Amino acid sequence: LRTRVLMTTKADPSTLDIAEAEIVVSGGRGIGSAQNWHLVEDLADALEATVGGSRMAMDEGWIPRERLVGQTGKSIGPRLYVTLGISGAKEHVLGTRESKNLVSINIDPGAPIFSVADKAVVGDVNEVVPILVRKLKELGGQSMRRDAGPQTSEVMVP
């Protein structure tokens, strides 16, 4: 049987199973409301990432069950895992221990997620994420998916 590849297309990150994704952005209680959930989606879009969430995000109806990250949801091991407003309950952390790089943004400097994060940003996601998204868009063509890894750039947060 002869086969020819005519074209390849990139998978839509929004439809990718979170357990298979290279980059996952998850939101939790610190997002504050359904009206703020766009912050998770905006950052995921800028990073070409798949969206996940905490138990609370699922309970509030912000994500479907198949997007739940953690012991009672799906265990993940992406190259980059970014949490927004997730405190770091034991069940959540257990489901993320295979993540290669964990970046967490949370307003609470004592959040348990910071004890396992590779990079931590203490700040309000409502202030930090729009700045981060804007900076990523400015960097434009420097995709986070390159084999060489993410490009380094400083982002100043008020």
Side-chain angles (χ1 to χ4, degrees):
L1 184 67
R2 290 188 149 177
T3 305
R4 270 187 350 177
V5 176
L6 299 176
M7 170 179 34
T8 60
T9 57
K10 190 189 243 180
D12 180 358
S14 66
T15 63
L16 197 60
D17 184 327
I18 60 172
E20 303 297 322
E22 281 187 58
I23 304 172
V24 177
V25 176
S26 287
R29 183 181 313 279
I31 295 298
S33 68
Q35 291 77 24
N36 294 339
W37 190 255
H38 70 90
L39 295 168
V40 177
E41 293 169 347
D42 291 349
L43 184 56
D45 185 51
L47 291 171
E48 298 179 16
T50 298
V51 172
S54 68
R55 161 69 66 183
M56 185 270 180
M58 185 191 75
D59 290 346
E60 290 294 321
W62 302 346
I63 58 163
R65 181 156 187 72
E66 64 268 11
R67 298 269 166 212
L68 175 61
V69 175
Q71 193 175 28
T72 58
K74 290 192 178 180
S75 292
I76 63 170
R79 186 168 50 86
L80 175 62
Y81 182 45
V82 182
T83 68
L84 306 177
I86 292 179
S87 64
K90 180 174 53 173
E91 296 79 12
H92 186 86
V93 172
L94 284 172
T96 66
R97 62 179 168 221
E98 298 298 318
S99 300
K100 311 307 180 268
N101 295 291
L102 172 59
V103 176
S104 185
I105 303 171
N106 197 302
I107 199 164
D108 177 8
I113 194 83
F114 287 151
S115 67
V116 295
D118 295 295
K119 300 288 182 191
V121 177
V122 176
D124 184 340
V125 295
N126 294 293
E127 295 173 9
V128 175
V129 173
I131 294 168
L132 186 55
V133 168
R134 186 177 66 243
K135 185 65 176 174
L136 286 166
K137 286 182 179 180
E138 287 172 10
L139 293 172
Q142 298 182 19
S143 173
M144 295 295 289
R145 293 187 179 274
R146 284 193 196 152
D147 290 336
Q151 301 297 312
T152 304
S153 180
E154 286 189 26
V155 177
M156 300 300 289
V157 179

